[in-house]
Amino acid sequence: MAIAKAERLMNLALCLLGTRRPLSKRELRGSIEAYLEAGSDDAFNRMFERDKDDLRELGLVIATVENLDGETGYLARRDSNRLPPITLDAEEAAALGLAARVWQQARLAGAASGALQKLRAAGMPEAEDAYEAQHSALETRIPVHEAAFEPLMLACRDRRPVTFDYRKSNAVRPETRQVEPWTLECWRGHWYLAGWDRDRGAERVFRLSRITGKVRSRAASFTATVPDVVTVRETVESWAGETATRTARIRLRTGAGYPLRARATSVRELSDGWDELEIPYGHGLDAWLVEFGPDVVVLEPADLRADVVDRLRAVAKG
């Protein structure tokens, strides 16, 4: 169905761009096979109006002209649908090339590669060798493994509310959340969604790896105002204890937990295959420590140790 519609839209666009005079509905119906197969005039009219609106939404400028007989005709003038020349210098071209290499997800990688090929065919300069040599050792990547990423990305773009099942780190079972998605952001290798939680009536941030099942979009409008700036990273940092003033003391198995070691304010090697670390302590640190499983033992404070034990018990009951 999607391929058939795309082919129909392409044929309609070619007809409107290729004519020198306005074409009536009758002429367009006789020129496009999919319209000829429409069961009735009403079915054709509905199909044509939807297709015309879709093309306009994609950016095609379609003029409506009435001839001397009062019949309405349509055409897309080439001068109104031609982009101005694209001129990029070497640094701008290199920045685009670097951005295109960011995405590992196949669908986005294909679109980025196709766009670069079109720009190069139009005369976009290749990246300078010096730039390539300087940056070739660093291959920028944004990993996307979660199935929820693509539907949430589209929902953010189209401003469509979504529903999904979400399991909190200390919960045994997931619960359904109704969210108005605002933006997606990657932080420390994990993707997060920020949006308005309708059931709680407040802004919330969700980690995509904790979304279970399918993301279902809804045909409805947003009820809350989308803020100009969404501070996803700052919110996640506060949950992870990045801005904390307290300190936690943990034991970490030797050779494990490198993200924890990177945050540690002090590390002391022990003689039994463990190290003792001091790390910033704030809200949400217990959920992060649980991810390291048996490689981490919390020594103090006592309330953090109790929270980690409770979470591990919830996972064990799972």
Side-chain angles (χ1 to χ4, degrees):
M1 292 293 292
I3 295 176
K5 181 176 181 179
E7 183 179 354
R8 194 175 70 240
L9 290 175
M10 178 64 71
N11 288 335
L12 177 58
L14 291 175
C15 284
L16 295 175
L17 287 167
T19 182
R20 294 184 178 181
R21 62 174 181 82
L23 298 177
S24 65
K25 282 187 180 182
R26 174 180 49 80
E27 291 173 312
L28 289 169
R29 186 177 186 181
S31 303
I32 299 175
E33 183 177 358
Y35 291 159
L36 287 172
E37 296 174 354
S40 63
D41 290 341
D42 288 339
F44 159 69
N45 286 327
R46 289 193 299 268
M47 187 184 302
F48 173 75
E49 292 299 328
R50 286 196 302 266
D51 290 349
K52 181 159 56 70
D53 291 340
D54 288 342
L55 287 178
R56 282 174 169 164
E57 188 174 346
L58 290 171
L60 190 68
V61 180
I62 301 175
T64 303
V65 181
E66 186 173 319
N67 61 23
L68 296 176
D69 298 329
E71 188 176 27
T72 302
Y74 307 89
L75 80 160
R77 294 188 175 89
R78 290 183 177 271
D79 56 350
S80 301
N81 290 281
R82 184 180 294 114
L83 290 174
I86 299 176
T87 56
L88 298 172
D89 58 30
E91 290 185 356
E92 292 171 331
L96 281 178
L98 182 62
R101 292 198 300 271
V102 164
W103 296 103
Q104 287 182 334
Q105 188 168 350
R107 178 166 176 175
L108 296 176
S113 176
L116 278 182
Q117 289 178 5
K118 293 177 182 178
L119 287 172
R120 284 167 180 159
M124 183 185 81
E126 297 285 348
E128 295 181 0
D129 293 339
Y131 183 92
E132 292 290 344
Q134 180 181 0
H135 295 275
S136 60
L138 298 177
E139 188 68 17
T140 309
R141 299 289 187 190
I142 296 182
V144 180
H145 305 296
E146 296 86 354
F149 175 83
E150 186 168 325
L152 288 176
M153 178 188 68
L154 297 176
C156 289
R157 182 197 67 184
D158 299 337
R159 292 287 188 259
R160 286 185 284 105
V162 294
T163 303
F164 52 78
D165 293 333
Y166 188 77
R167 182 184 60 80
K168 295 191 294 186
S169 58
N170 61 343
V172 177
R173 296 180 180 85
E175 60 180 7
T176 301
R177 312 296 284 266
Q178 300 183 67
V179 179
E180 298 173 10
W182 294 341
T183 187
L184 290 162
E185 186 162 339
C186 186
W187 185 77
R188 293 191 182 274
H190 297 288
W191 279 98
Y192 295 87
L193 168 72
W196 183 260
D197 191 317
R198 287 184 168 182
D199 296 323
R200 289 153 183 79
E203 176 184 350
R204 288 290 186 271
V205 174
F206 305 90
R207 183 164 154 175
L208 265 61
S209 61
R210 293 179 182 151
I211 295 177
T212 62
K214 292 184 177 181
V215 175
R216 301 171 294 277
S217 47
R218 304 175 55 188
S221 302
F222 280 13
T223 60
T225 302
V226 180
D228 294 333
V229 178
V230 183
T231 56
V232 181
R233 185 166 301 185
E234 289 80 356
T235 302
V236 177
E237 285 178 350
S238 65
W239 288 358
E242 293 286 329
T243 57
T245 56
R246 301 173 63 188
T247 300
R249 191 163 58 92
I250 66 172
R251 294 184 70 193
L252 182 63
R253 198 183 303 273
T254 302
Y258 290 103
L260 292 174
R261 295 178 186 276
R263 290 186 49 202
T265 56
S266 69
V267 179
R268 183 167 66 91
E269 294 184 7
L270 304 179
S271 58
D272 55 354
W274 292 79
D275 300 327
E276 185 175 302
L277 286 71
E278 291 188 356
I279 58 176
Y281 173 35
H283 173 73
L285 181 60
D286 54 335
W288 195 31
L289 293 177
V290 167
E291 297 180 9
F292 296 93
D295 292 331
V296 171
V297 176
V298 179
L299 300 176
E300 59 183 27
D303 54 347
L304 175 61
R305 180 183 177 88
D307 290 340
V308 170
V309 171
D310 288 343
R311 288 179 180 274
L312 289 173
R313 286 173 176 167
V315 172
K317 291 178 181 177

